[in-house]
Amino acid sequence: MSFLRSATRSVRARGRRGITAALLVLCLPAQALAMHPPAPPQTPLREACEKEVGYRPEPGQKGKDAIWAATPDEFVTRMLRMAGTSADDYVIDLGAGDGNFAIAAARQFGARSLGIEYNAELVKLAQCMVRGSGAEGRARVVEGDVFKADFSRADVLTIFLLPHLNQCLRHRILEMRPGVRVASYLFSMGDWEPDDMTAMGLDVAFLWVVPARVGGRWAFREPGSGGAAFTVDITQIYQKIGGEVVDGGTRHPLLGASLRGDLLRFSFRDAKGVHQNFTGRVAGREIAGDLRAADGESAEVVATLQGGPRPSPWAEMAPRCGKFYGK
C-alpha cells in the first residue's frame, strides 16, 4: 500500500480532524511532485497538436505566477468523479494548461466546460487538443488571468495552482453559490479544511463544497403560525458550525451540527427533553426543512434570519493577496 493511500484511509477513518493532520503529512510529497513534475505522455494527438501550433511545453517551465505541470489523465478523471461531476454541470478549470480537465469533463462526464489559461501558447495547444479529442462544442479553453476572470457560474471548479495562489482565490470561491464543488490538485486552501480527499500513488487532491452563510440568529416556526417556536443561534467558520437553541426560555446546545453547501443538519433537546432532529436547506435569509422528534412526529418548519448576518472574517481576502487584484 502506498504512503498516500495509507494516509487517505486514515483520514477517512478519523474524519475532519484526520484531514487536518493529513495535510501536514501529505505536503512534502506534493511539493516534491510540483517541483519535479513528470512529462505528460506523448500521444499521437499531443504530438500532432504540438507540431500544428509549433509549441511543446516543458514540465516545470515558469508561468506568470506558477510553473506548468500536467495532472495525470487518470487522476483528472478521479478528481472529477470525486466532485460528483455530471452532464448537468458547468466545469471551470483555473490554470487550464493543455486543457485536459476541460476535455475530460466534456468527453467522460458530458459536462460543459471552460478552461482559463494565461499562457497564450498553451491556449493554442489546448484548443487544438479540444478539437482533436472531439470535445469541441462542449469544451473551450480561453486565454485569461484567473484573478480577473469570472468563474462564478461554475458548478464544479478545478484548480492546479500553488498554495498561496489557492489562498488568494479562496475569498472569491467562498462568494460562489452554496454547493459549488471545488477540487484542487496537490495543494490545500490554508485553514479551510477540505470536505474530502483522494490519493493515488504520489497524486493527491482535495475537495471543498462552498458553504452557505448561516452565522446569526434564526427564528424557527411552522408555516402559518404566529411567533417563533424556537430560535437558533449559529456560529460559523467555513463549513464548521455550532451554537445553541433557545426554546421555552431554556438554552440547549446544537448536537451533530453539519453544513454541506446549503444542506443544514442539527439536533437538540427541546424544553420538554425530547430529542429533535432538523434537516433543511438554506436560501439566503431563509431556511426551510423538516423537524422530526425521536418518537417519529415531524413538522415542516421555516426560519428567518433575525437582524443581519454575522461578520465572516474567515471569508475575507487573505493577507498579502491584494497585489493580485491591483490593491
Side-chain angles (χ1 to χ4, degrees):
M1 182 184 299
S2 74
F3 169 76
L4 286 179
R5 284 176 181 164
S6 177
T8 304
R9 285 191 179 181
S10 176
V11 165
R12 287 176 175 163
R14 291 176 293 171
R16 222 172 251 163
R17 288 186 180 180
I19 289 180
T20 304
L23 292 178
L24 300 176
V25 175
L26 297 174
C27 66
L28 291 179
Q31 290 176 356
L33 193 59
M35 291 290 289
H36 305 284
Q42 281 299 109
T43 63
L45 174 58
R46 176 178 290 277
E47 290 179 356
C49 282
E50 288 177 349
K51 183 176 180 180
E52 178 180 319
V53 302
Y55 175 72
R56 172 176 288 185
E58 294 295 331
Q61 70 182 31
K62 291 184 178 181
K64 173 177 174 285
D65 300 304
I67 64 170
W68 178 77
T71 307
D73 289 341
E74 62 273 20
F75 205 71
V76 169
T77 302
R78 192 181 184 108
M79 288 175 62
L80 290 169
R81 187 176 294 122
M82 177 175 66
T85 307
S86 75
D88 296 327
D89 288 326
Y90 183 36
V91 178
I92 297 182
D93 182 36
L94 302 184
D98 58 10
N100 56 351
F101 273 98
I103 293 169
R107 291 197 63 198
Q108 298 178 34
F109 297 88
R112 293 178 302 113
S113 61
L114 172 68
I116 300 171
E117 170 57 47
Y118 187 82
N119 184 315
E121 296 298 322
L122 269 173
V123 171
K124 293 177 185 177
L125 176 63
Q127 290 172 342
C128 178
M129 299 279 283
V130 168
R131 292 192 299 272
S133 69
E136 195 172 22
R138 295 200 68 82
R140 293 189 303 133
V141 178
V142 299
E143 184 178 349
D145 185 331
V146 298
F147 293 103
K148 298 177 181 178
D150 179 10
F151 50 82
S152 62
R153 294 189 298 120
D155 300 299
V156 175
L157 192 67
T158 56
I159 305 172
F160 179 17
L161 298 170
L162 295 174
H164 70 285
L165 303 179
N166 281 2
Q167 291 185 49
C168 290
L169 287 169
R170 185 178 62 194
H171 68 289
R172 293 184 59 199
I173 293 171
L174 287 164
E175 292 173 353
M176 297 177 75
R177 184 182 70 259
V180 171
R181 293 93 72 199
V182 184
S184 173
Y185 180 55
L186 293 184
F187 298 113
S188 64
M189 291 267 186
D191 62 353
W192 184 11
E193 293 184 1
D195 293 287
D196 200 358
M197 62 182 295
T198 186
M200 182 175 65
L202 287 177
D203 298 298
V204 61
F206 306 98
L207 177 73
W208 296 263
V209 180
V210 175
R213 303 290 179 92
V214 296
R217 180 175 289 269
W218 298 83
F220 281 77
R221 59 179 175 80
E222 292 187 36
S225 66
F230 60 91
T231 61
V232 180
D233 199 337
I234 300 178
T235 59
Q236 178 180 14
I237 300 178
Y238 301 112
Q239 73 273 46
K240 292 184 176 181
I241 60 171
E244 62 180 9
V245 173
V246 180
D247 178 30
T250 61
R251 295 178 179 272
H252 312 271
L254 291 185
L255 306 172
S258 68
L259 179 66
R260 188 176 178 90
D262 64 353
L263 179 61
L264 174 66
R265 289 190 173 99
F266 59 81
S267 301
F268 64 97
R269 290 195 178 276
D270 64 19
K272 298 179 181 179
V274 177
H275 192 87
Q276 302 280 354
N277 298 290
F278 174 78
T279 301
R281 297 281 180 181
V282 183
R285 297 175 64 90
E286 294 186 352
I287 300 173
D290 179 73
L291 186 67
R292 186 173 298 272
D295 61 8
E297 184 179 351
S298 66
E300 292 184 3
V301 294
V302 294
T304 53
L305 183 63
Q306 305 299 291
R310 296 267 168 79
S312 305
W314 46 270
E316 296 175 358
M317 185 167 62
R320 298 181 296 279
C321 292
K323 62 182 180 180
F324 295 110
Y325 299 98
K327 298 179 180 180

